[in-house]
Amino acid sequence: MRRGARPAGPGEITYSSYLKLDRILSAQEPESDRLGVDAHDEMLFIVVHQTYELWFRQILHELDRVQSDFAQTPVDDWRMRRMVHSLHRVHEILKLGIAQLDVLETMTPQDFLDFRGLLSTSSGFQSLQFRLLETRLGLGSTRRLLYEGKTVDADMSEAERAAFRAAEVGPTLRGQLEAWLMRTPFVTGERYAFRTAYREAVVAMLAREREWADDVAQTDAAEALERAARAFAAIFEPNPEAGWIMSPQAVEAALFITVYRDHPALHMPNALLGALMDIDEAMALWRHRHALMVERMIGMRSGTGGSSGHDYLSRTAREHRVFSDLFRLSTYLIPRDALPELPAEIERRMGFVYAAEEKR
Amino acid sequence: MRRGARPAGPGEITYSSYLKLDRILSAQEPESDRLGVDAHDEMLFIVVHQTYELWFRQILHELDRVQSDFAQTPVDDWRMRRMVHSLHRVHEILKLGIAQLDVLETMTPQDFLDFRGLLSTSSGFQSLQFRLLETRLGLGSTRRLLYEGKTVDADMSEAERAAFRAAEVGPTLRGQLEAWLMRTPFVTGERYAFRTAYREAVVAMLAREREWADDVAQTDAAEALERAARAFAAIFEPNPEAGWIMSPQAVEAALFITVYRDHPALHMPNALLGALMDIDEAMALWRHRHALMVERMIGMRSGTGGSSGHDYLSRTAREHRVFSDLFRLSTYLIPRDALPELPAEIERRMGFVYAAEEKR
Amino acid sequence: MRRGARPAGPGEITYSSYLKLDRILSAQEPESDRLGVDAHDEMLFIVVHQTYELWFRQILHELDRVQSDFAQTPVDDWRMRRMVHSLHRVHEILKLGIAQLDVLETMTPQDFLDFRGLLSTSSGFQSLQFRLLETRLGLGSTRRLLYEGKTVDADMSEAERAAFRAAEVGPTLRGQLEAWLMRTPFVTGERYAFRTAYREAVVAMLAREREWADDVAQTDAAEALERAARAFAAIFEPNPEAGWIMSPQAVEAALFITVYRDHPALHMPNALLGALMDIDEAMALWRHRHALMVERMIGMRSGTGGSSGHDYLSRTAREHRVFSDLFRLSTYLIPRDALPELPAEIERRMGFVYAAEEKR
Amino acid sequence: MRRGARPAGPGEITYSSYLKLDRILSAQEPESDRLGVDAHDEMLFIVVHQTYELWFRQILHELDRVQSDFAQTPVDDWRMRRMVHSLHRVHEILKLGIAQLDVLETMTPQDFLDFRGLLSTSSGFQSLQFRLLETRLGLGSTRRLLYEGKTVDADMSEAERAAFRAAEVGPTLRGQLEAWLMRTPFVTGERYAFRTAYREAVVAMLAREREWADDVAQTDAAEALERAARAFAAIFEPNPEAGWIMSPQAVEAALFITVYRDHPALHMPNALLGALMDIDEAMALWRHRHALMVERMIGMRSGTGGSSGHDYLSRTAREHRVFSDLFRLSTYLIPRDALPELPAEIERRMGFVYAAEEKR
């Protein structure tokens, strides 16, 4: 505890003072009120966006810790657990954010029109926290879609742009993931290379399947196998134009973690990859749902702030993905019984000390 | 538009200025930060409660309009539609409030302990907006459970208590519902009394069923019918001790609306009753879930603010019901084919003008 | 009650016999069991798809009644109410269908591989009920995307294809909506044409706004108004290539219902339009989420049954929309205070008889 | 693969044959259809219950594997991971089951009456799978509430009763949890006893707090500490009448796992405890919501099958808890900085081999 600091005694903190409700509950100032216009639903519009901003704040708070933990080398096991925990929480928040659109959609387009014209050029496009969130997850400027020819920082204030730029040059979760994956032990050692073992297993599996396919003269199946063989090649001799974001070594390590997830030392790493996919998927779903809502609310007009919102949002849902590499991994999985066995020594080292000692 | 008021021009309002994000996002001041204690999850605790308060604000905003509409005599048809719409929105918000506990439950009891001792005697029990919400729905002081011997206003500031008292003496949604129900046209007229017609229909139906039961000598069924007959009596000769909150006439009108909901003039009234039940049910469910969460989070200890929270919350879930009368209505329903037909004149008057004119 | 039919007496029906649980619970026959392969998650895969089929069955049951009600001329008011009720139920089922993917996604890609190769060419693409559902909502063959060059009935059995063709030539909800909209009274009469009144209101509104824009020399705003003027023209002089599915008269009637929803006779019609949009949106969201799940589950490989699933599903989410016209309506809305007033006579006729009589 | 078994070739399995849709989709036989009565919503009633039964089937399938894994001594680490995974899936299914009531509640009480009288004495009370589920989780006969004086197997057929009895004498998840907890290594060893260390830490913490309380003469706080001291005593010198279900040693081990969850060897055990609480909480919530729905649907009448459903269901929600001991654990937690440190040797043994070797 900070020197001189003293916890509050009974009655010194109230619910209202603790939560700063004076600030929170005085922050709804509908333009329609100021102008004396009747627009009941502007309050909903404000409250929905304010709750989103509060949730973004919370997500950024989780990313603070996750990214600080991820910056350690190596990442301690107890940190891994809480990183997974935080990312799971982020996923729950995103799911709530999607559900929250059920509430916003109780506003009809006609009710929105009551105040839509009063909002000047302000727009959700200007949410700094959302840009920080995207950037810190790993959506780089080079991959961002332009929006009516504008970059996302076009309308930012100086202070906002500074914060945004700082995030852009700072570490991203995706970058940290890649660096961490490339350090994964066991993937390539002196006497063992996962790459070689996995490739051999794939070749053997394909050979077995091809043999069976030949037997029954199934041209289609044979062709499918050819395609599969080429696909498997891709992961080990990746074509730089094939759309991978991470390096081949990082992808290889992610595959290693995925297929050997049963080993204790990979429980949490595997859960980490799953949590990142959950987040990427929830973000995409949110964008899709947001796009549908905008289409319903304002049709083919431009959004508040002048955006031709639906199309832009719909495209970001498809293209602003951060962890798509992890989704592509499943292309390269092979059935459990075709997986190469790990050397006993590696298996032992990925287990618990007490278990190893008992076995002796 | 207010004289002299002018809508903002391009750039005059930004997303951030519109939403007062300076206030909203500066309102998270964890005690653990002040004291230099490590308690990552206090931010979540604060944000969750702040979003709840924002939603309460929105619900109160909806109640403002609903109650103002309900205060009209008669309530215009277009007001009815928007009242139903607002109440449906309140229901969606309550469902979101329940889902939001999924996020809060990502906080473990051990993580809560990191800052639980720092919260002094502050407690969710002190939320003024929640008390206003309950009160304005219709939970009167006489029906409120005491909490450790305390009334809900025990810890309120002067200003809070004044607001609470004002709500207590003001109109409640339940009271307005009752008054409105008692004014329902058609229920009792010169040549028609729903009460009589329905009672006769019930008697006839019970007679048919009793006959059938006698045929097959089913003592159980006969007994069940006796019980049903007594139950039906209850609605028309209500025992004041039977737990009804509303007057017999109001209950009777609610039954009328329910069974004749197919008639155009009852579409919205019937939807209104449904929306009120949705809200009552969602409130009860929220309380149940809140009680379970408190049990999980703090076990048998007292809550923040010293509450023996779980039991109290669990009891409020069962006893702090506002529209239970509407739930009890289903006890008195009879199958469609046993329903008494409405006089043609009443049917005509509950229809649309254009339809009536076309029929001529 | 059917002649000779007799309700079951006590004990004659049990929970299990009523629900035919012998059939329901004997219908899980994993291929992995038959082949003696270890694939725990195949049960989940089967159960998830079976529950989907049960829900499709329920949706088709609702469509049976909705479409039969919609086939009436005119559609009775009490039928309108239950149509809205049924469509609302369909929406709730679709929301559950989306939530259900949370359960399916607990299956990892590696676990799916345990049995994926055993499923032969069977695929969700072959669900007859889903095709019936799409078709009966109004997705015609001409608008369906091909899937690997195949039409959706390519793999159907004779019986399935017959059922599918019957649905294709039968009435669709979209078609019934259009016919019903074109019959909407009041839109165009001897002394009143909504088209004219609305156009004049739009022109007046645009003139006011243009004037204001000129004042402040805001070129951007002026351009925006030009665009808006052209957009408004579109609804009244529709370009056949503009992507509308319904006829101009039908669209016009839908606009009439939307802007005058406050009038009692339009309460349910307006709710009907809302419910159809809810359904269209939920279907699109389901498709999006399904596409994301397929991407995660099988990456860039083809789906069960050989589909390159993700892309196809993602495109259907964007293009297999049925009620997109209703979404586009919001493009043509104007603020409440710019709306033309209805003639008193029309207003009266859209009200209730009892209200009109009281006013006299 | 089973000898002689052959995977199906292309076209040999269709979606419909794989899912046995002939059985699934022919299993809806409304009594109202048989009797020629108009009762549209009976289909919904049937479909909702059939989907519940399918989900129960899936939950029992998960319990099969979880319980078989739990029967191993010791439980392998890879089994632990998949147990947690399965229990997480069960939780997701239960959440879906709760959401599913949103669909059922689109049936109004009046619509239910259309067929309610036709259901004879059948009732959800008779669901064998639900009884198996409860029993296998660990709800023993001695703790079950009677329902109108009847035990749950009162109406079962011979075959059903045999299955139920078999489950009753078989291992339960709760029993397996207790046995596994009692085998937890490290809790009590030659040179270390968690019991002693924790008690000392509690005493030291309480002493510090009491001192601080004395300083400021806070009688209330002092009393609270007394109460806390007594509460802490309870876990180590448990009163058999205090309502614990598990043995003191098992509870102690659960506490050990909870407070030292950061250590790798406790990651999965801690996740296991969390998943069991999730399930217990979801079951309770489901029961509460079911009770509310029954109240709404049939008021104070008895349920189908003659149950006075609401009260019974409401009581089971409170009393049919299986893992309440785990919820009570939080009563005994102490802040992180008061936790006793683990001996280095134990810490080492609860880590990974590779980490221990690197440290050398």
Side-chain angles (χ1 to χ4, degrees):
Chain A
M1 199 172 286
R2 184 164 289 141
R3 179 197 290 260
R6 187 182 66 77
E12 285 186 13
I13 301 178
T14 65
Y15 177 80
S16 171
S17 72
Y18 179 62
L19 297 175
K20 317 293 167 212
L21 292 188
D22 51 341
R23 277 177 241 172
I24 293 289
L25 298 178
S26 73
Q28 296 74 38
E29 298 183 1
E31 276 298 287
S32 54
D33 273 10
R34 184 176 69 79
L35 298 166
V37 168
D38 190 19
H40 176 80
D41 281 9
E42 190 178 358
M43 179 65 83
L44 179 68
F45 189 77
I46 292 172
V47 163
V48 164
H49 284 87
Q50 287 177 336
T51 53
Y52 271 128
E53 288 292 329
L54 284 174
W55 289 121
F56 295 158
R57 175 119 164 77
Q58 183 62 38
I59 292 177
L60 291 171
H61 180 68
E62 299 301 333
L63 287 181
D64 284 346
R65 189 172 75 180
V66 168
Q67 292 201 275
S68 143
D69 280 347
F70 226 173
Q72 310 295 315
T73 312
V75 179
D76 293 321
D77 300 312
W78 62 272
R79 289 187 196 270
M80 272 309 276
R81 195 198 68 82
R82 77 179 193 184
M83 286 167 64
V84 170
H85 187 74
S86 269
L87 292 173
H88 170 65
R89 176 177 294 164
V90 171
H91 182 219
E92 288 294 332
I93 294 173
L94 292 174
K95 286 201 290 183
L96 188 73
I98 295 169
Q100 189 159 318
L101 290 173
D102 281 343
V103 177
L104 186 51
E105 288 202 337
T106 61
M107 183 174 77
T108 67
Q110 184 72 58
D111 294 329
F112 185 28
L113 264 192
D114 286 346
F115 62 94
R116 193 171 161 240
L118 311 177
L119 303 184
S120 170
T121 46
S122 70
S123 150
F125 186 74
Q126 298 165 344
S127 166
L128 172 65
Q129 287 199 124
F130 189 66
R131 297 311 166 199
L132 293 178
L133 191 165
E134 289 181 323
T135 300
R136 287 178 58 183
L137 285 177
L139 183 67
S141 279
T142 55
R143 293 189 46 233
R144 277 189 192 277
L145 298 172
L146 291 184
Y147 168 53
E148 306 202 321
K150 290 194 302 189
T151 55
V152 288
D153 60 350
D155 293 339
M156 286 182 185
S157 70
E158 278 314 298
E160 287 171 339
R161 187 171 294 117
F164 178 64
R165 293 274 158 84
E168 287 210 302
V169 299
T172 69
L173 196 55
R174 202 210 51 68
Q176 293 179 307
L177 172 71
E178 183 169 0
W180 171 79
L181 282 171
M182 293 181 71
R183 292 195 313 264
T184 310
F186 311 120
V187 177
T188 307
E190 283 175 34
R191 277 165 301 181
Y192 170 77
F194 168 62
R195 161 194 291 264
T196 314
Y198 199 74
R199 187 203 297 263
E200 281 169 10
V202 169
V203 168
M205 180 195 78
L206 291 175
R208 275 198 308 280
E209 292 190 3
R210 199 173 288 118
E211 196 173 311
W212 178 79
D214 285 349
D215 277 3
V216 293
Q218 286 165 333
T219 319
D220 284 0
E223 271 169 24
L225 292 174
E226 276 308 316
R227 278 202 306 276
R230 282 197 302 275
F232 277 111
I235 207 166
F236 296 109
E237 297 134 22
N239 181 339
E241 276 145 49
W244 292 96
I245 302 175
M246 296 195 295
S247 71
Q249 294 99 301
V251 172
E252 198 182 317
L255 188 61
F256 178 83
I257 290 168
T258 301
V259 303
Y260 295 122
R261 64 182 182 186
D262 272 343
H263 295 281
L266 300 180
H267 285 179
M268 280 300 144
N270 180 59
L272 183 81
L273 299 185
L276 293 173
M277 281 191 275
D278 286 341
I279 288 172
D280 208 44
E281 190 176 335
M283 288 285 289
L285 204 63
W286 192 348
R287 295 178 196 271
H288 277 303
R289 178 133 194 224
H290 191 185
L292 283 164
M293 191 207 65
V294 166
E295 180 192 356
R296 180 169 185 166
M297 208 59 82
I298 59 178
M300 294 174 300
R301 287 195 214 178
S302 52
T304 61
S307 64
S308 52
H310 169 69
D311 279 348
Y312 169 75
L313 288 168
S314 183
R315 287 184 57 213
T316 63
R318 297 199 297 280
E319 302 186 27
H320 282 185
R321 301 284 295 280
V322 174
F323 298 105
S324 48
D325 284 0
L326 300 179
F327 285 73
R328 297 176 79 181
L329 274 188
S330 47
T331 319
Y332 302 100
L333 296 177
I334 56 178
R336 219 176 295 256
D337 58 9
L339 283 180
E341 264 190 53
L342 278 178
E345 170 60 9
I346 289 183
E347 213 167 303
R348 187 187 68 82
R349 297 185 70 213
M350 293 206 297
F352 295 117
V353 170
Y354 83 95
E357 291 180 350
E358 270 158 24
K359 280 195 187 134
R360 274 184 297 185
Chain B
M1 199 171 288
R2 184 165 290 142
R3 178 197 289 261
R6 188 182 66 76
E12 285 187 13
I13 301 178
T14 65
Y15 178 80
S16 170
S17 72
Y18 179 63
L19 298 175
K20 317 294 168 211
L21 292 188
D22 51 341
R23 278 178 241 172
I24 293 288
L25 299 178
S26 73
Q28 296 73 39
E29 298 184 1
E31 278 297 287
S32 54
D33 274 11
R34 184 177 70 79
L35 297 166
V37 168
D38 190 19
H40 176 80
D41 281 9
E42 190 179 357
M43 177 66 83
L44 177 69
F45 188 77
I46 291 172
V47 162
V48 164
H49 284 88
Q50 288 177 336
T51 53
Y52 271 128
E53 288 293 329
L54 285 174
W55 289 121
F56 295 157
R57 176 118 164 77
Q58 182 63 37
I59 292 176
L60 292 171
H61 179 67
E62 299 300 335
L63 287 182
D64 284 346
R65 189 172 74 180
V66 168
Q67 293 201 274
S68 144
D69 281 347
F70 227 173
Q72 311 295 316
T73 311
V75 180
D76 294 321
D77 299 313
W78 62 272
R79 288 188 196 270
M80 271 310 274
R81 195 198 68 83
R82 77 180 192 181
M83 285 167 65
V84 170
H85 188 74
S86 269
L87 293 173
H88 170 65
R89 177 177 293 164
V90 171
H91 182 218
E92 288 294 332
I93 294 173
L94 292 175
K95 287 202 290 183
L96 188 74
I98 295 170
Q100 188 158 319
L101 289 173
D102 281 345
V103 176
L104 185 51
E105 289 202 339
T106 61
M107 183 174 77
T108 67
Q110 184 73 58
D111 294 330
F112 186 28
L113 265 192
D114 286 346
F115 62 94
R116 190 169 163 243
L118 311 177
L119 303 184
S120 171
T121 46
S122 68
S123 150
F125 186 74
Q126 298 165 345
S127 167
L128 173 64
Q129 287 199 124
F130 189 66
R131 297 311 167 199
L132 294 178
L133 191 165
E134 290 181 321
T135 300
R136 287 178 57 184
L137 285 177
L139 182 67
S141 278
T142 55
R143 293 188 48 233
R144 277 188 192 278
L145 298 173
L146 291 185
Y147 169 53
E148 305 200 323
K150 291 194 300 189
T151 56
V152 289
D153 61 350
D155 293 338
M156 286 183 184
S157 70
E158 278 313 299
E160 287 171 339
R161 188 170 294 118
F164 178 63
R165 292 274 159 83
E168 286 209 304
V169 300
T172 69
L173 195 55
R174 201 209 53 67
Q176 294 179 306
L177 172 72
E178 183 169 358
W180 171 79
L181 282 171
M182 292 182 70
R183 292 195 312 264
T184 309
F186 310 120
V187 177
T188 307
E190 283 175 36
R191 277 165 300 181
Y192 170 76
F194 169 60
R195 161 195 290 263
T196 314
Y198 200 73
R199 188 202 298 261
E200 282 168 10
V202 169
V203 167
M205 180 196 77
L206 292 175
R208 275 199 307 279
E209 291 190 3
R210 201 173 287 117
E211 196 173 314
W212 179 77
D214 286 349
D215 278 3
V216 294
Q218 286 166 334
T219 320
D220 284 1
E223 271 170 24
L225 291 174
E226 275 309 316
R227 278 201 306 275
R230 282 196 302 275
F232 277 112
I235 206 165
F236 295 109
E237 297 132 22
N239 181 339
E241 275 145 50
W244 292 96
I245 300 176
M246 296 195 296
S247 71
Q249 294 99 302
V251 171
E252 199 183 313
L255 188 61
F256 178 84
I257 290 168
T258 302
V259 303
Y260 296 121
R261 63 180 183 189
D262 271 343
H263 295 281
L266 300 179
H267 285 178
M268 281 299 145
N270 179 58
L272 182 81
L273 300 185
L276 293 173
M277 282 191 275
D278 286 343
I279 288 173
D280 208 43
E281 190 176 337
M283 289 285 289
L285 204 62
W286 191 349
R287 295 178 196 271
H288 277 304
R289 180 137 192 220
H290 191 184
L292 283 164
M293 190 207 65
V294 166
E295 181 191 356
R296 181 169 185 165
M297 209 57 83
I298 60 178
M300 294 175 301
R301 287 195 215 178
S302 51
T304 61
S307 64
S308 52
H310 169 69
D311 280 347
Y312 169 74
L313 289 168
S314 183
R315 287 185 57 214
T316 64
R318 297 198 297 280
E319 303 186 25
H320 282 184
R321 301 285 294 280
V322 174
F323 298 105
S324 49
D325 283 359
L326 300 178
F327 285 72
R328 296 176 80 182
L329 274 188
S330 48
T331 318
Y332 302 100
L333 296 177
I334 58 179
R336 216 176 297 257
D337 57 9
L339 282 180
E341 264 189 54
L342 277 179
E345 171 61 7
I346 290 183
E347 215 168 303
R348 187 187 68 83
R349 297 186 69 214
M350 293 206 298
F352 296 116
V353 171
Y354 83 95
E357 292 180 349
E358 270 158 26
K359 279 195 190 134
R360 275 185 294 185
Chain C
M1 198 171 288
R2 184 163 290 143
R3 178 197 290 261
R6 189 181 65 77
E12 285 187 13
I13 301 178
T14 64
Y15 178 80
S16 170
S17 72
Y18 179 61
L19 297 175
K20 317 295 167 210
L21 292 187
D22 51 340
R23 278 177 241 173
I24 293 289
L25 299 177
S26 73
Q28 295 75 39
E29 298 184 0
E31 278 297 287
S32 54
D33 274 9
R34 185 177 69 80
L35 298 166
V37 168
D38 190 18
H40 177 79
D41 281 9
E42 189 178 358
M43 177 66 82
L44 178 69
F45 188 77
I46 291 172
V47 162
V48 164
H49 284 87
Q50 287 177 336
T51 53
Y52 271 128
E53 288 293 329
L54 285 173
W55 288 121
F56 295 158
R57 175 117 164 79
Q58 182 63 37
I59 292 177
L60 292 171
H61 179 68
E62 299 301 334
L63 287 182
D64 284 347
R65 189 172 74 179
V66 168
Q67 292 201 274
S68 144
D69 280 347
F70 228 173
Q72 310 295 315
T73 311
V75 180
D76 293 322
D77 300 312
W78 63 272
R79 288 187 197 270
M80 271 310 273
R81 196 198 67 84
R82 76 179 194 183
M83 284 166 66
V84 170
H85 187 75
S86 269
L87 292 173
H88 170 65
R89 177 177 293 164
V90 171
H91 182 218
E92 288 294 332
I93 294 173
L94 292 174
K95 287 201 290 183
L96 188 74
I98 295 170
Q100 188 159 317
L101 289 173
D102 281 344
V103 177
L104 186 51
E105 288 202 339
T106 61
M107 182 174 77
T108 67
Q110 183 73 59
D111 294 329
F112 186 27
L113 264 192
D114 287 346
F115 61 93
R116 191 171 161 242
L118 311 178
L119 303 184
S120 171
T121 46
S122 69
S123 152
F125 186 74
Q126 298 165 345
S127 166
L128 172 65
Q129 288 199 123
F130 189 66
R131 297 311 166 199
L132 294 178
L133 191 165
E134 289 181 322
T135 300
R136 287 178 57 183
L137 285 177
L139 182 67
S141 278
T142 55
R143 294 188 47 235
R144 279 189 192 277
L145 298 173
L146 291 184
Y147 168 53
E148 305 200 321
K150 289 194 301 190
T151 55
V152 288
D153 60 350
D155 293 338
M156 286 182 185
S157 70
E158 277 314 298
E160 288 171 338
R161 188 170 294 118
F164 178 65
R165 293 272 160 85
E168 286 209 303
V169 299
T172 69
L173 195 55
R174 201 209 52 69
Q176 293 179 307
L177 172 72
E178 184 169 358
W180 171 80
L181 281 171
M182 293 181 70
R183 292 193 313 262
T184 309
F186 311 119
V187 178
T188 307
E190 282 174 35
R191 279 164 298 181
Y192 171 76
F194 169 61
R195 161 195 290 265
T196 315
Y198 199 74
R199 189 202 298 261
E200 281 167 11
V202 169
V203 167
M205 179 195 77
L206 292 175
R208 276 198 308 279
E209 291 189 3
R210 200 172 288 116
E211 197 172 311
W212 178 80
D214 285 350
D215 279 2
V216 293
Q218 286 166 333
T219 320
D220 284 0
E223 272 172 22
L225 290 174
E226 276 308 318
R227 278 202 306 274
R230 282 197 302 275
F232 277 112
I235 206 166
F236 296 109
E237 298 134 20
N239 181 337
E241 274 145 49
W244 292 97
I245 301 177
M246 296 195 296
S247 71
Q249 294 99 299
V251 171
E252 199 183 315
L255 188 61
F256 179 84
I257 290 168
T258 301
V259 302
Y260 295 121
R261 64 181 181 187
D262 271 342
H263 295 280
L266 300 179
H267 285 178
M268 280 300 144
N270 179 58
L272 183 81
L273 300 185
L276 293 173
M277 282 192 274
D278 286 342
I279 288 173
D280 208 44
E281 191 176 336
M283 288 285 289
L285 204 63
W286 191 348
R287 295 178 196 270
H288 277 304
R289 180 137 194 221
H290 191 185
L292 283 164
M293 191 207 64
V294 166
E295 181 191 356
R296 181 170 185 164
M297 209 57 83
I298 60 178
M300 295 175 299
R301 286 195 215 178
S302 52
T304 60
S307 65
S308 52
H310 170 69
D311 280 348
Y312 169 74
L313 289 168
S314 183
R315 287 184 58 214
T316 64
R318 298 198 297 281
E319 303 187 25
H320 283 184
R321 300 285 294 280
V322 173
F323 299 104
S324 49
D325 283 0
L326 301 178
F327 285 72
R328 297 175 80 181
L329 274 188
S330 48
T331 318
Y332 302 100
L333 297 177
I334 58 179
R336 218 176 298 255
D337 57 10
L339 282 180
E341 263 189 55
L342 276 179
E345 170 61 9
I346 289 184
E347 215 167 301
R348 186 187 68 83
R349 297 186 68 215
M350 293 205 299
F352 295 116
V353 171
Y354 83 96
E357 292 180 350
E358 270 156 27
K359 277 193 191 136
R360 274 184 293 184
Chain D
M1 198 172 289
R2 182 165 292 141
R3 178 199 289 261
R6 188 181 66 77
E12 285 186 12
I13 301 178
T14 65
Y15 177 79
S16 170
S17 72
Y18 179 61
L19 298 175
K20 317 294 168 210
L21 292 187
D22 51 341
R23 277 177 242 173
I24 293 288
L25 299 178
S26 73
Q28 295 75 38
E29 299 184 0
E31 277 296 287
S32 53
D33 274 10
R34 184 176 70 79
L35 297 166
V37 169
D38 190 19
H40 176 80
D41 281 9
E42 190 179 358
M43 178 66 83
L44 178 69
F45 189 76
I46 292 173
V47 162
V48 164
H49 284 88
Q50 287 177 336
T51 53
Y52 272 128
E53 288 293 330
L54 285 174
W55 289 121
F56 294 159
R57 175 118 163 78
Q58 182 62 37
I59 292 176
L60 291 171
H61 180 68
E62 299 301 333
L63 287 182
D64 284 346
R65 189 171 76 180
V66 168
Q67 293 202 275
S68 143
D69 280 348
F70 227 174
Q72 310 295 315
T73 313
V75 180
D76 293 322
D77 299 312
W78 62 272
R79 289 188 196 270
M80 272 309 274
R81 196 198 67 83
R82 77 179 193 184
M83 286 167 65
V84 170
H85 187 75
S86 269
L87 292 172
H88 170 66
R89 176 177 294 163
V90 171
H91 182 219
E92 288 294 333
I93 294 173
L94 292 173
K95 287 202 290 183
L96 188 73
I98 294 169
Q100 189 158 319
L101 289 173
D102 281 344
V103 177
L104 185 51
E105 288 202 337
T106 62
M107 183 174 76
T108 67
Q110 184 73 59
D111 294 329
F112 186 27
L113 264 192
D114 286 346
F115 62 94
R116 190 170 163 244
L118 311 178
L119 304 183
S120 171
T121 46
S122 69
S123 150
F125 187 75
Q126 298 165 344
S127 166
L128 173 64
Q129 287 199 124
F130 189 65
R131 297 311 166 198
L132 294 178
L133 191 166
E134 290 181 322
T135 300
R136 287 178 58 183
L137 285 177
L139 182 66
S141 278
T142 55
R143 294 189 47 233
R144 279 188 191 277
L145 298 172
L146 290 184
Y147 168 54
E148 306 201 320
K150 289 194 301 189
T151 54
V152 289
D153 60 350
D155 293 339
M156 286 183 186
S157 70
E158 277 314 299
E160 287 171 339
R161 188 170 294 120
F164 178 64
R165 294 273 159 84
E168 287 210 302
V169 299
T172 68
L173 195 56
R174 201 209 52 68
Q176 293 180 308
L177 172 71
E178 183 169 1
W180 172 79
L181 281 171
M182 293 182 71
R183 291 195 314 263
T184 310
F186 310 121
V187 177
T188 307
E190 282 174 36
R191 279 165 298 181
Y192 171 77
F194 169 62
R195 160 194 291 263
T196 314
Y198 199 74
R199 187 202 298 260
E200 281 168 10
V202 169
V203 167
M205 180 196 75
L206 291 175
R208 276 197 308 279
E209 292 190 2
R210 199 172 289 116
E211 198 172 311
W212 178 80
D214 286 350
D215 278 3
V216 293
Q218 285 166 334
T219 320
D220 285 1
E223 271 170 23
L225 291 174
E226 276 309 316
R227 279 203 306 276
R230 282 197 302 275
F232 278 111
I235 206 167
F236 296 110
E237 297 133 22
N239 181 337
E241 275 144 48
W244 293 96
I245 301 176
M246 296 195 295
S247 71
Q249 294 100 300
V251 172
E252 199 183 315
L255 188 61
F256 178 85
I257 290 168
T258 302
V259 302
Y260 295 122
R261 63 181 183 188
D262 271 344
H263 295 280
L266 300 179
H267 284 178
M268 281 300 144
N270 179 58
L272 183 81
L273 300 185
L276 293 173
M277 281 192 275
D278 286 342
I279 288 172
D280 208 43
E281 191 177 336
M283 288 285 290
L285 204 63
W286 191 349
R287 295 178 196 269
H288 277 304
R289 179 137 193 220
H290 191 186
L292 283 164
M293 192 207 65
V294 166
E295 181 192 355
R296 180 169 186 164
M297 208 59 82
I298 59 178
M300 295 175 299
R301 288 196 214 177
S302 52
T304 60
S307 65
S308 52
H310 170 68
D311 280 348
Y312 169 75
L313 288 168
S314 184
R315 287 184 58 213
T316 63
R318 298 198 297 282
E319 301 187 27
H320 282 184
R321 301 284 294 280
V322 174
F323 298 104
S324 49
D325 283 0
L326 300 179
F327 285 73
R328 297 176 80 181
L329 274 188
S330 47
T331 318
Y332 302 100
L333 297 177
I334 57 179
R336 218 176 296 256
D337 58 9
L339 282 180
E341 264 189 53
L342 277 179
E345 170 61 8
I346 290 183
E347 216 168 300
R348 187 187 68 83
R349 296 186 69 214
M350 293 206 298
F352 295 117
V353 170
Y354 84 95
E357 291 181 348
E358 270 157 26
K359 278 193 189 136
R360 273 184 297 186

